[in-house]
Amino acid sequence: MVYKKIDSADVAVLQQICGGEYVKAGDAINEDFSHDELSGIHVFPEVLVEPANTEQVSAIMRYAHQQNIPVTPRGQGTGLVGGSVAVNGGIMLSLCRMNRIVELDPSTMTLTVEPGVLLMDIYKYVEPLGLFYPADPGEKSATIGGNINTNAGGMRAVKYGVTRDYVRGLEVVLADGSILMLNGKNAKNSSGYSLKDLVIGSEGTLAIVTKAILKLIPLPTRVVSLLVPFPDLSTAIRAVPEVARLKAMPTSIEFMEKQVIIAAEEYLGKKFPDKSADAFLLLTFDGNQKEAIEAAYTEAAETCLAAGAIDAFIADTLERRDAIWTARGAFLEAIKASTTEMDECDVVVPRDRIAAFVEYTRELQNELKVRIRSFGHAGDGNMHIYVLRDDLDEKTWQSILAQAFERLYQRARQYGGQVSGEHGIGFAKKSYLAESLGETTIGLMRGIKHVFDPKNILNPDKIC
Amino acid sequence: MVYKKIDSADVAVLQQICGGEYVKAGDAINEDFSHDELSGIHVFPEVLVEPANTEQVSAIMRYAHQQNIPVTPRGQGTGLVGGSVAVNGGIMLSLCRMNRIVELDPSTMTLTVEPGVLLMDIYKYVEPLGLFYPADPGEKSATIGGNINTNAGGMRAVKYGVTRDYVRGLEVVLADGSILMLNGKNAKNSSGYSLKDLVIGSEGTLAIVTKAILKLIPLPTRVVSLLVPFPDLSTAIRAVPEVARLKAMPTSIEFMEKQVIIAAEEYLGKKFPDKSADAFLLLTFDGNQKEAIEAAYTEAAETCLAAGAIDAFIADTLERRDAIWTARGAFLEAIKASTTEMDECDVVVPRDRIAAFVEYTRELQNELKVRIRSFGHAGDGNMHIYVLRDDLDEKTWQSILAQAFERLYQRARQYGGQVSGEHGIGFAKKSYLAESLGETTIGLMRGIKHVFDPKNILNPDKIC
C-alpha cells in the first residue's frame, strides 16, 4: 500500500478537529509512542492525535479516509505484539483522553464507558457499589478499549470467562467515519451477524471502539486463595483438570515456579509466603457464604493432596493474599528485569494438554540451550512462555528465538491449541497465525477486513 | 439470482454421495419439509438430502457450488421465522441423521456433538454425569445445530447466558465445500477475528455447522422455583430489575399472565397450582447449598412482596415444579391452539424497559382491536408477543398484523432494543431488521455474506 505522507496541511486539519494542543507531529511525539511493552518494534507515527469524543474520532477517520492516511488506534500501549505501533507511520489515535465513565445503569446492571478508561478504574468504580466486572487481565493499567480489542482474558476466566463475555454493546467508528451502535444494553440478541463479536478481538483493524457497554454482576462478598506447593511442575499441572471440574468451580487456577517466584521477590524486594517447593498452584474461590467457600477450598485442598501436593496454605487474610497476588502480578516485569531482552509466546491449549506443553518447554530449553520461563493460567490452558536472550549475540538470539517459536506454535497446533489466548496477534505474530490457521481461514479474515476497511487504512499490517 | 434447477443428473450425484434412500425428490418429499413451526411460508425444496457425516456435507456443497444450486440447511424445523424453509427451492440439507454425541471430555469439560443432536438428548446425556449444559431454549426437541444458528437463548439466560456462551469450537463446511475447525476446545482465544462467533447466529447463511464443541459446567444439585402472584402485569414486571440484581442471582425470571395460563391449562388438560392473580413472576434459583438457596429465595420473595406481590409460593417439590414448568413449556402451543393463525414478535429490550413495552402491547391491542398475547423472559428483556388472527378476514388480518409489527419494532428500536432476542430473522423478519439496523450495518452484513458465499447459494434470501 502507498499511503499519503502527513504534511502541514493535514496537521492543520487535525488541529482544527481536536484543538492545537492535542495534535503533535515529528519530534514533539514522545518516544513512548514508538513502541509497546514488549514486541521490539520501533516506529514513530507521523502525527499523534488525542481526540476528546466520538465526533472527533469520526471527523479524523473521515479525513484520513479521504486522504488515504493510515490510522493506528492506541490505548495505554501495554500490548506485547506491536498491535498499537504505527508500523506505517501516519496518524496515531490515542484514546486515552476519552476516559469517562458515562453511566452506571443499575436496572440493566451495565456500565457504559469510553475506551480510555483503565481496567483498575472500572474495579474502583463498581466494587464499592457491590458490583463486579469479572474480566481480570493481569495488566490493570491497560485501557478497556485495549482489553476489548484483544479479547483479554486474565485470571478469573476459569469461572467467569473473558472480556467478550462482558461486552453487551459497542459504539464504533468505521474506517470512513460512520458511527454505529452494535447491540446496546440488551441481554440477548439474534438480529443478524454479531458484528459486536467480530469487533471484539479485532485489534483495531475493523473499527475504533468509542464506547463500550459492559455487563456487571453482583460482587461476591468473600474471596479465599489457596497456595498449594508441589514437588515439581508436572505433578502440579496434572492436578489441574481434577481441580477445575470440582462442583465449586475455582475462580482461577494459576501455576508458578520457584525460579519465577524468586525473580519476583528480587524485583519487588518483598518476600513470598512460601518457597519450600519447586512449583505451586494458586487457586481462588469466591462466593457469599462462608460455609460454602470453606467446603470448596477444603475439597480442592484434598484433591490436590491426593494428586501429590506437599501441603495447602489458606491465604484468608488480606495481607497474605496481597503478598501472593502482588508477586503474581509482577511476574512479567520480574522476568523482563532478569534478562537483556525477551519475547513471549501466549499459546492456549485444551486444559488436558498443559502438563505436556509445559514439559515440552523444558525439553526445548535444554535442546536449544536458552532460558525459557513460563507462568500462566493453568485453569484455562493459557500459558505465557518467555524465551530469554541473556548474553546471546544478536545472530544466535534471532536464530534460537525463531526456532523456539516455530517449535512452540507447532506443538500448540498439534494439541489443538491456538497462537494467542489473550494477547492478540498484532504485528509480531502474523506469520505464526497464518501458519496455524491456514489459507482458507486467513482468506476469510482478509475478506472481512476488506468489507470493513476497503482502503486498508485502519491499523494496517496487523493480524492478517 | 438465477439458480440451476435440479434435474435427474443432480439427483443421481446426490444419491451417489449419500446413498439412494437418503435422497428424495419431488412428491417423495414430506409436506413437513415445506414449512417451519410458525412463519406461514410454504415452499418445497426440489430435493431433500440427509447426509451422514461431514464428508458427505462437504461433497454436497462442492457439487452445489459448482452447479450453482441453492442449499437450505435444516434441523428439526422448529424455527418460527422461515429460516429453514427452502424459499428458492434447490437442495434441502437435513442434518437430523448427524445426531451422534461424539465425545465427552471430562478434562476440558466439553461435549462434542453433531448438529442433529436434540437439546433434550444433551441434557439427558450430561446431567446423570453431574454436568450441566446451561443454555435452555424452550423447544427441547430442537437440534443443537439450530440452536447455534439462531444463538438461541431461553429461560436460564439471566444467570447463565445464551448458546453463544457455551460454544467453544465449531467444525463448519463452507459454501464451496471446504471444511474448517473454528477454535476447538480452548477456553480462551485471541487469534484473529472470531469466525466462530460470526457463524453463531448466522442462520445457516455463512457455513454449515457439522460439529460443535460445547462447554459444560458442574450441575447444580438443587433447584427451587418461586411462583409469585401480582395484582397486575405492570406491577409484576416493575419488580424484575430489583429481583435481577439481588446478590443471589436468579437462574430465570419469567412473566406470565392469567389468560395465557388458562390457555395452557385447556391445552394440556392439567391444572396450574394457582390462578388467583392476573399476573405472575416465576423465579428459579439453583446452587449446591440448601441454606444458600433458602436465603436466596427468601430475599427474592421479600423483594417481590415489597414491590407489591400478593404472595410467594415455593415450588420445592418435583410435582409442583413440574406442574408450573409444564404449563410454561406449553405456552406457545396453547396460544397457537387458541386461534386460527398468529405471528410472533421476538423483540429484546433493556431490562428496565420491559414494563413499558408490555404496557404498550396492551394499548396496541385496544387501538388495533386485535388479540395480543405475550409471555417471556422478563429477566433478560426478551418477550414473545403473539398477534392473533381469530376470525379476522385475510385482508383485515394482513393489514392489522403489518401495523402491529411496524409499531412494535419501532417502539423496541426507540427503547434501544433489537428485532430478535433469540428466534432469529430468517425470511419473515428481514424488512424489520433492515429498518432497525440501517443501511451501513446491513451493508457490512451483506459484505460478510459475500466473503463467505460469493455465489449466494447458502440459505439465500435470509437475514440480509
Side-chain angles (χ1 to χ4, degrees):
Chain A
M1 278 310 279
V2 179
Y3 295 109
K4 179 184 186 304
K5 287 280 148 196
I6 299 279
D7 58 29
S8 56
D10 300 324
V11 173
V13 171
L14 295 169
Q15 283 176 331
Q16 205 157 26
I17 294 170
C18 295
E21 60 183 309
Y22 299 114
V23 178
K24 293 190 181 70
D27 291 348
I29 300 171
N30 190 299
E31 190 268 341
D32 285 347
F33 292 97
S34 70
H35 60 85
D36 66 7
E37 283 290 307
L38 188 71
S39 64
I41 304 148
H42 287 259
V43 185
F44 276 90
E46 293 165 74
V47 61
L48 171 69
V49 201
E50 298 172 273
N53 54 48
T54 304
E55 290 64 38
Q56 292 184 5
V57 173
S58 168
I60 295 164
M61 289 313 305
R62 224 166 26 237
Y63 183 74
H65 194 251
Q66 272 166 11
Q67 301 291 323
N68 201 32
I69 301 168
V71 177
T72 306
R74 182 173 171 115
Q76 286 283 84
T78 59
L80 305 176
V81 292
S84 64
V85 179
V87 294
N88 286 285
I91 299 171
M92 175 164 283
L93 194 74
S94 165
L95 292 148
C96 290
R97 277 179 73 213
M98 292 177 61
N99 63 354
R100 288 181 315 138
I101 291 182
V102 179
E103 183 202 14
L104 174 79
D105 179 351
S107 285
T108 57
M109 288 182 72
T110 55
L111 184 76
T112 303
V113 294
E114 290 184 334
V117 171
L118 306 186
L119 193 51
M120 58 187 173
D121 292 336
I122 293 177
Y123 300 141
K124 218 182 287 171
Y125 189 87
V126 304
E127 292 184 3
L129 303 169
L131 294 167
F132 190 36
Y133 175 69
D136 185 31
E139 180 55 69
K140 309 302 181 208
S141 67
T143 64
I144 187 69
N147 273 215
I148 291 167
N149 270 293
T150 55
N151 187 26
M155 331 264 190
R156 293 193 285 241
V158 181
K159 180 168 176 180
Y160 290 109
V162 298
T163 302
R164 181 184 304 285
D165 301 306
Y166 296 91
V167 179
R168 282 251 190 270
L170 292 177
E171 181 193 77
V172 299
V173 173
L174 299 182
D176 66 0
S178 316
I179 302 168
L180 290 185
M181 174 53 85
L182 307 176
N183 194 19
K185 292 181 178 176
N186 306 297
K188 288 177 172 172
N189 190 15
S190 297
S191 309
Y193 307 146
S194 187
L195 302 185
K196 170 187 70 109
D197 281 289
L198 198 54
V199 169
I200 296 169
S202 68
E203 305 187 43
T205 63
L206 299 182
I208 294 171
V209 172
T210 49
K211 229 162 259 155
I213 301 174
L214 306 175
K215 167 187 166 184
L216 305 175
I217 63 172
L219 181 71
T221 46
R222 292 164 189 276
V223 181
V224 173
S225 293
L226 200 64
L227 185 68
V228 189
F230 282 86
D232 55 71
L233 191 60
S234 301
T235 312
I237 293 191
R238 275 198 297 267
V240 170
E242 286 178 60
V243 176
R245 64 170 179 259
L246 293 175
K247 268 248 175 283
M249 289 175 81
T251 315
S252 57
I253 309 176
E254 298 287 305
F255 76 90
M256 39 184 80
E257 293 183 88
K258 194 180 198 168
Q259 298 156 323
V260 175
I261 290 170
I262 291 170
E265 284 190 331
E266 283 169 8
Y267 179 79
L268 292 168
K270 267 188 181 172
K271 287 280 161 214
F272 193 78
D274 182 74
K275 294 194 297 290
S276 60
D278 270 357
F280 295 84
L281 288 185
L282 175 55
L283 313 177
T284 306
F285 297 88
D286 66 8
N288 296 308
Q289 271 76 30
K290 190 162 176 272
E291 299 71 23
I293 296 196
E294 276 174 11
Y297 68 67
T298 307
E299 196 185 1
E302 283 163 6
T303 306
C304 286
L305 290 168
I310 299 167
D311 206 335
F313 304 103
I314 298 150
D316 49 359
T317 68
L318 205 62
E319 199 181 36
R320 279 190 93 165
R321 211 168 67 216
D322 274 3
I324 298 169
W325 282 100
T326 307
R328 169 62 186 86
F331 282 172
L332 169 60
E333 290 302 322
I335 296 174
K336 209 170 152 185
S338 82
T339 186
T340 52
E341 192 179 339
M342 66 181 195
D343 206 351
E344 190 220 27
C345 172
D346 167 51
V347 290
V348 60
V349 297
R351 194 160 61 203
D352 57 336
R353 297 308 185 106
I354 314 171
F357 199 91
V358 173
E359 276 162 36
Y360 181 67
T361 69
R362 301 293 182 86
E363 284 172 37
L364 212 55
Q365 169 169 262
N366 296 334
E367 195 188 319
L368 298 178
K369 301 198 193 336
V370 66
R371 270 209 304 153
I372 297 180
R373 289 289 174 269
S374 62
F375 63 88
H377 315 303
D380 55 45
N382 180 209
M383 285 153 289
H384 303 320
I385 296 159
Y386 298 89
V387 184
L388 310 186
R389 177 168 175 175
D390 295 341
D391 53 6
L392 294 173
D393 65 72
E394 180 66 19
K395 208 182 131 194
T396 316
W397 162 239
Q398 289 302 345
S399 152
I400 288 181
L401 187 65
Q403 283 178 67
F405 272 34
E406 188 59 48
R407 305 268 285 276
L408 288 167
Y409 289 119
Q410 201 179 337
R411 183 56 65 104
R413 202 157 62 243
Q414 196 180 313
Y415 286 168
Q418 297 284 345
V419 171
S420 172
E422 57 182 5
H423 295 160
I425 302 302
F427 186 76
K429 312 294 178 195
K430 275 195 303 179
S431 63
Y432 303 112
L433 185 74
E435 208 168 322
S436 165
L437 296 182
E439 270 176 38
T440 307
T441 305
I442 293 286
L444 291 173
M445 291 185 183
R446 288 203 177 122
I448 291 166
K449 166 71 175 167
H450 189 73
V451 168
F452 277 78
D453 180 17
K455 295 179 90 169
N456 196 27
I457 59 163
L458 251 183
N459 213 3
D461 284 326
K462 308 294 165 66
I463 302 183
C464 58
Chain B
M1 278 313 277
V2 179
Y3 295 109
K4 179 183 186 303
K5 288 280 148 199
I6 300 279
D7 57 28
S8 56
D10 300 323
V11 173
V13 171
L14 295 169
Q15 283 177 332
Q16 201 155 29
I17 295 170
C18 295
E21 59 183 311
Y22 299 114
V23 179
K24 294 191 180 71
D27 291 347
I29 301 171
N30 190 299
E31 190 270 340
D32 286 347
F33 292 97
S34 69
H35 61 84
D36 65 7
E37 282 291 307
L38 188 71
S39 66
I41 304 148
H42 287 259
V43 185
F44 275 88
E46 294 165 74
V47 61
L48 171 69
V49 202
E50 299 172 272
N53 55 46
T54 304
E55 290 63 39
Q56 291 184 5
V57 173
S58 168
I60 294 164
M61 288 313 304
R62 225 168 23 241
Y63 183 73
H65 194 251
Q66 273 166 13
Q67 301 291 324
N68 201 33
I69 301 169
V71 177
T72 305
R74 182 174 172 115
Q76 284 284 81
T78 60
L80 305 177
V81 293
S84 64
V85 180
V87 295
N88 286 285
I91 298 171
M92 175 165 283
L93 194 74
S94 165
L95 293 147
C96 290
R97 276 180 73 212
M98 291 176 63
N99 63 354
R100 287 181 315 138
I101 291 182
V102 179
E103 184 202 13
L104 174 79
D105 177 352
S107 285
T108 58
M109 287 180 72
T110 55
L111 183 77
T112 303
V113 293
E114 291 185 334
V117 171
L118 307 187
L119 193 51
M120 59 188 172
D121 291 334
I122 293 177
Y123 301 140
K124 216 182 288 172
Y125 190 85
V126 304
E127 293 185 2
L129 304 169
L131 294 167
F132 190 35
Y133 174 69
D136 185 31
E139 181 55 68
K140 309 303 182 208
S141 66
T143 64
I144 187 69
N147 272 214
I148 291 167
N149 270 295
T150 55
N151 187 25
M155 331 266 192
R156 292 192 285 241
V158 180
K159 180 169 177 181
Y160 290 108
V162 298
T163 302
R164 180 185 303 284
D165 301 307
Y166 296 91
V167 179
R168 282 252 191 271
L170 291 177
E171 182 193 77
V172 298
V173 173
L174 299 182
D176 66 0
S178 316
I179 302 168
L180 289 184
M181 175 51 86
L182 307 176
N183 195 21
K185 292 181 179 176
N186 305 296
K188 286 176 171 173
N189 190 14
S190 297
S191 310
Y193 307 146
S194 185
L195 303 185
K196 168 187 70 110
D197 281 289
L198 199 53
V199 169
I200 297 169
S202 68
E203 305 185 43
T205 63
L206 299 182
I208 293 171
V209 172
T210 48
K211 229 163 260 157
I213 301 175
L214 305 175
K215 168 187 165 184
L216 304 175
I217 63 174
L219 181 70
T221 46
R222 292 165 190 274
V223 182
V224 174
S225 293
L226 200 64
L227 185 68
V228 189
F230 282 86
D232 55 72
L233 190 60
S234 301
T235 311
I237 293 190
R238 275 197 298 267
V240 169
E242 288 178 58
V243 176
R245 63 172 179 258
L246 292 175
K247 270 248 174 281
M249 289 176 82
T251 315
S252 58
I253 309 178
E254 298 286 304
F255 76 90
M256 41 184 78
E257 295 183 86
K258 194 180 196 167
Q259 298 155 325
V260 175
I261 291 171
I262 290 170
E265 283 190 333
E266 282 169 8
Y267 179 77
L268 293 167
K270 265 188 183 175
K271 287 280 160 214
F272 193 77
D274 182 73
K275 290 193 300 291
S276 60
D278 269 358
F280 295 83
L281 288 184
L282 175 57
L283 313 177
T284 306
F285 297 87
D286 66 8
N288 296 309
Q289 271 75 29
K290 189 162 176 271
E291 299 72 23
I293 295 196
E294 275 174 11
Y297 69 67
T298 305
E299 196 186 0
E302 282 163 6
T303 305
C304 287
L305 289 168
I310 299 168
D311 206 334
F313 304 103
I314 298 151
D316 49 0
T317 67
L318 205 63
E319 199 181 37
R320 277 190 95 164
R321 211 168 69 217
D322 274 3
I324 298 169
W325 283 101
T326 307
R328 169 62 187 86
F331 283 172
L332 169 59
E333 290 301 323
I335 296 174
K336 208 170 153 186
S338 82
T339 186
T340 51
E341 192 179 338
M342 67 181 194
D343 205 351
E344 190 219 27
C345 172
D346 167 52
V347 290
V348 58
V349 296
R351 195 161 58 202
D352 57 338
R353 298 307 187 107
I354 314 171
F357 199 91
V358 173
E359 276 162 38
Y360 181 68
T361 67
R362 300 294 181 87
E363 283 171 38
L364 212 55
Q365 170 168 261
N366 295 333
E367 197 189 317
L368 298 178
K369 301 199 190 339
V370 67
R371 267 206 308 154
I372 298 180
R373 289 288 173 270
S374 62
F375 63 88
H377 316 301
D380 56 44
N382 181 209
M383 285 153 290
H384 302 320
I385 296 161
Y386 298 89
V387 183
L388 310 186
R389 177 167 176 175
D390 293 342
D391 53 8
L392 295 174
D393 65 74
E394 178 68 17
K395 209 182 131 195
T396 315
W397 163 240
Q398 290 301 343
S399 153
I400 288 181
L401 186 65
Q403 283 177 67
F405 271 33
E406 189 58 46
R407 304 269 283 279
L408 288 168
Y409 288 118
Q410 201 177 338
R411 184 56 63 103
R413 201 157 65 242
Q414 197 178 313
Y415 287 167
Q418 297 284 347
V419 171
S420 172
E422 57 182 4
H423 294 161
I425 302 302
F427 186 74
K429 311 294 178 195
K430 275 196 304 178
S431 63
Y432 303 111
L433 184 75
E435 208 169 322
S436 165
L437 296 182
E439 270 176 38
T440 307
T441 306
I442 292 287
L444 291 173
M445 291 184 183
R446 288 203 178 122
I448 291 167
K449 166 70 175 167
H450 188 75
V451 168
F452 277 78
D453 180 18
K455 295 179 92 169
N456 195 28
I457 58 163
L458 250 182
N459 213 2
D461 285 324
K462 307 293 166 69
I463 301 184
C464 57

